Amino acid sequence: GENVEQHPSTLSVQEGDSAVIKCTYSDSASNYFPWYKQELGKGPQLIIDIRSNVGEKKDQRIAVTLNKTAKHFSLHITETQPEDSAVYFCAATNYGQNFVFGPGTRLSVLP
Amino acid sequence: GAGVSQSPSNKVTEKGKDVELRCDPISGHTALYWYRQRLGQGLEFLIYFQGNSAPDKSGLPSDRFSAERTGESVSTLTIQRTQQEDSAVYLCASSLVSAWSGGEQFFGPGTRLTVL
């Protein structure tokens, strides 16, 4: 089955700096890699995702990169703002099978 | 329009009782997902439906868990003979098409289940 690791578990950055969260996966058949943001007391929200046929995807200040050979993918947040503070989860799945989440990264953006 | 709704919002039950959790997806969304999140922990994928069928049920934690969906709309997650380790927030999400086919998932507010 799939196994997803996520690092770091906690991350503190100064407002305006960039934040990078990395995930590795084990199942080479995985082809869909979403990232979720969960603010305190709220449900998760999909913020960006990437499929195995592309290496990078960007949406304003958020980008995700995928290296299928090395089986890792990363979330990049630029120009961080206090409202980016949350727990971020990565996940990997093969068309909904073996849908496994990483343990999460608590990001704190310090003003 | 209306988002994903879940009921009840909170459920307290005694160990050994059965519980039924309900999810009303956004109208027209063919894909529906169930997740579990224990307190202070990460997300755990349980099952997803494409239409009324669930292609893969292997994410359900045990045979005490079952889920169904009717009319490509409402879904119910049933937990039989609840155990204390079932205590968690159960989240439902839906998307127009499956997430891995490009559908954007929208999450409901969750049902907080407490098993005493």
Side-chain angles (χ1 to χ4, degrees), chain A residues 11-81:
Chain A
L11 178 61
S12 293
V13 299
Q14 288 295 134
E15 183 177 357
D17 287 350
S18 295
V20 181
I21 303 171
K22 299 181 179 179
C23 287
T24 61
Y25 62 99
S26 61
D27 188 351
S28 57
S30 290
N31 52 26
Y32 175 68
F33 308 91
W35 285 90
Y36 301 86
K37 174 184 180 182
Q38 187 170 28
E39 296 176 79
L40 190 63
K42 296 184 179 180
Q45 174 190 6
L46 178 72
I47 55 170
I48 196 167
D49 57 18
I50 192 167
R51 290 166 185 81
S52 58
N53 57 346
V54 298
E56 183 174 0
K57 182 176 178 180
K58 190 173 182 180
D59 183 4
Q60 299 182 342
R61 297 186 297 108
I62 295 173
V64 57
T65 58
L66 171 66
N67 183 327
K68 285 215 72 180
T69 303
K71 295 206 280 273
H72 66 70
F73 55 111
S74 299
L75 176 71
H76 304 253
I77 307 174
T78 59
E79 300 171 25
T80 53
Q81 301 167 4

Side-chain angles (χ1 to χ4, degrees), chain B residues 34-36 44-48 56-57 59-61 77 90:
Chain B
W34 283 100
Y35 301 87
R36 177 170 74 176
E44 182 181 359
F45 175 77
L46 299 180
I47 192 170
Y48 92 97
D56 184 2
K57 299 182 179 181
L60 294 174
L77 177 69
Y90 290 82

Side-chain angles (χ1 to χ4, degrees), chain A residues 31-32 34 36 38 42-46 49 51 89 93-103, chain B residues 33 35 37 41-45 48 55-56 58 91 98-105 107-109:
Chain A
N31 52 26
Y32 175 68
Y36 301 86
Q38 187 170 28
K42 296 184 179 180
Q45 174 190 6
L46 178 72
D49 57 18
R51 290 166 185 81
F89 296 98
T93 183
N94 174 17
Y95 291 113
Q97 297 184 23
N98 296 319
F99 198 142
V100 178
F101 286 82
Chain B
Y33 319 78
Y35 301 87
Q37 187 169 32
Q41 297 189 24
L43 293 162
E44 182 181 359
F45 175 77
Y48 92 97
D56 184 2
S58 62
L91 293 156
S98 70
W100 33 92
S101 297
E104 180 181 359
Q105 290 178 300
F107 281 81

Side-chain angles (χ1 to χ4, degrees), chain B residues 33-79:
Chain B
Y33 319 78
W34 283 100
Y35 301 87
R36 177 170 74 176
Q37 187 169 32
R38 292 193 171 108
L39 184 64
Q41 297 189 24
L43 293 162
E44 182 181 359
F45 175 77
L46 299 180
I47 192 170
Y48 92 97
F49 289 88
Q50 182 58 53
N52 293 337
S53 65
D56 184 2
K57 299 182 179 181
S58 62
L60 294 174
S62 75
D63 58 9
R64 297 186 294 105
F65 287 71
S66 62
E68 65 176 22
R69 188 181 185 194
T70 57
E72 292 199 355
S73 181
V74 174
S75 176
T76 55
L77 177 69
T78 301
I79 309 173

